[in-house]
């Protein structure tokens, strides 16, 4: 059975001298594993299109244990990713994040769009890496069905004004007063709270369209990372390395 699909290569594993096993995120079939035989040979028609973080149009055949890549045509390459260790580390983290979520159905298409947009912004240096990371983390888990309650304080229904506390385990907000009454220290200022709501609730094409002070971005980043980690099945190995190069 033949299948033609666009897909983004999230992982490549060398097998033997010239073969690769690819993990590919596709919009309609989610994550698939495919063997790209001979793709490491420089003269192979698959050499470039099967590379890590390459977005290509794949022609696949169903094998006994996995798909086999028959043909691949490049749609987009993110040439700027290898230009900085920080950018490449973030890309590797986002890829592991996507593989851990293992999206399927309509969710896969949304996750693919988010990942492609994130890689583009990293490659072109269009936004701060800390902002790209926070947006991806929060939006990815929201698209996976973990949308937090961000409209108002869960205790008094206050919408804004002053600092707020975001409970990453419950996915709920407390205003500064209610947080203090519960013995909690607010972890969001006004800018970070607005950004948190923006990322979770706006349409896809607008999720990166905001700017924050360094102080607010630091608060947003800390909350987004903790909330995302609480919704994943396991800790991500690439996160420690990312922290080591971004600090």
């Amino acid at each position: 059975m033949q299948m033609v699909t666009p897909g983004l290569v999230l992982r490549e594993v060398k097998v033997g001298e010239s073969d690769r096993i690819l993990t590919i995120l596709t919009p309609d079939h989610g994550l698939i594993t495919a063997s790209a035989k001979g793709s490491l040979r420089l003269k192979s028609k698959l050499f470039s299109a099967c590379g890590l973080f390459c977005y290509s149009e794949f022609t696949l055949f169903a094998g006994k244990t996995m798909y086999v890549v028959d043909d691949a045509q490049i749609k987009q390459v993110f040439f700027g990713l290898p230009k900085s260790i920080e950018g490449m580390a973030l890309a590797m983290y986002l890829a592991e994040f996507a593989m851990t979520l293992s999206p399927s159905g309509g969710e896969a298409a949304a996750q693919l769009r988010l990942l492609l947009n994130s890689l583009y912004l990293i490659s072109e240096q269009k936004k701060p890496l800390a902002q790209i990371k926070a947006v991806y983390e929060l939006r990815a888990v929201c698209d996976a069905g973990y949308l937090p309650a961000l409209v108002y304080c869960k205790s008094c229904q206050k919408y804004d004004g002053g600092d707020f506390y975001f409970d990453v385990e419950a996915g709920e907000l407390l205003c500064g007063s209610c947080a203090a009454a519960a013995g909690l220290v607010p972890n969001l200022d006004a800018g970070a709270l607005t950004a948190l709501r923006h990322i979770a609730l706006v349409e896809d094409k607008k999720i990166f369209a905001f700017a924050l002070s360094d102080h607010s971005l630091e608060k947003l980043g800390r909350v987004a990372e903790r909330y995302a980690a609480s919704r994943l099945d396991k800790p991500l190995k690439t996160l420690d390395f990312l922290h080591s190069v971004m600090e």
Side-chain angles (χ1 to χ4, degrees):
M1 181 183 71
Q2 185 187 65
M3 177 174 71
V4 179
T5 180
L8 176 67
V9 179
L10 299 184
R11 180 169 59 193
E12 57 175 359
V13 177
K14 182 180 178 182
V15 179
E17 292 299 315
S18 60
D19 300 343
R20 280 182 281 192
I21 302 296
L22 310 178
T23 302
I24 306 169
L25 178 58
T26 69
D28 298 317
H29 307 281
L31 285 177
I32 63 173
T33 303
S35 172
K37 297 183 182 299
S39 62
L40 285 174
R41 296 192 184 100
L42 291 176
K43 294 183 178 180
S44 170
K45 63 180 181 180
L46 303 178
F47 179 78
S48 296
C50 290
L52 184 62
F53 300 128
C54 193
Y55 182 49
S56 301
E57 186 88 2
F58 292 94
T59 300
L60 306 166
F61 287 96
K64 292 183 179 180
T65 59
M66 68 182 73
Y67 287 99
V68 177
V69 181
D70 182 62
D71 189 33
Q73 301 295 323
I74 294 174
K75 293 173 68 71
Q76 187 171 6
V77 178
F78 302 98
F79 293 108
L81 291 183
K83 291 183 179 180
S84 78
I85 189 171
E86 297 87 354
M88 196 63 182
L90 179 54
M92 296 295 292
Y93 170 64
L94 301 189
E96 186 184 6
F97 200 114
M99 288 186 287
T100 302
L101 286 176
S102 190
S104 59
E107 182 192 324
Q111 295 287 352
L112 179 58
R113 285 195 303 272
L114 176 62
L115 190 50
L116 287 171
N117 288 336
S118 299
L119 294 179
Y120 170 78
L121 292 173
I122 297 170
S123 179
E124 299 298 318
Q125 301 180 348
K126 295 284 188 180
K127 293 286 182 179
L129 295 181
Q131 181 176 342
I132 298 169
K133 176 179 176 290
V135 171
Y136 179 87
E137 288 169 327
L138 182 61
R139 187 62 174 230
V141 292
C142 287
D143 287 345
Y146 301 108
L147 180 66
L150 297 174
V151 178
Y152 46 69
C153 171
K154 71 172 183 178
S155 294
C156 70
Q157 286 73 58
K158 182 178 180 180
Y159 176 76
D160 58 10
D163 294 344
F164 273 66
Y165 176 80
F166 180 60
D167 185 334
V168 297
E169 295 299 329
E172 297 174 331
L173 288 173
L174 286 173
C175 69
S177 298
C178 292
L184 299 169
V185 178
N187 53 13
L188 295 172
D189 60 14
L193 175 58
T194 299
L196 198 68
R197 288 169 171 158
H198 175 91
I199 296 164
L201 301 173
V202 300
E203 58 192 66
D204 286 357
K205 64 182 181 181
K206 295 181 179 179
I207 55 175
F208 290 98
F210 66 91
L212 282 179
S213 68
D214 290 343
H215 180 71
S216 294
L217 182 55
E218 182 179 353
K219 289 181 176 295
L220 172 67
R222 190 176 298 118
V223 162
E225 181 181 301
R226 290 179 60 210
Y227 181 68
S230 72
R231 267 57 187 175
L232 296 178
D233 294 334
K234 61 181 181 179
L236 304 185
K237 296 178 181 179
T238 50
L239 183 56
D240 288 339
F241 179 67
L242 178 60
H243 281 160
S244 72
V245 299
M246 287 187 69
E247 292 177 353

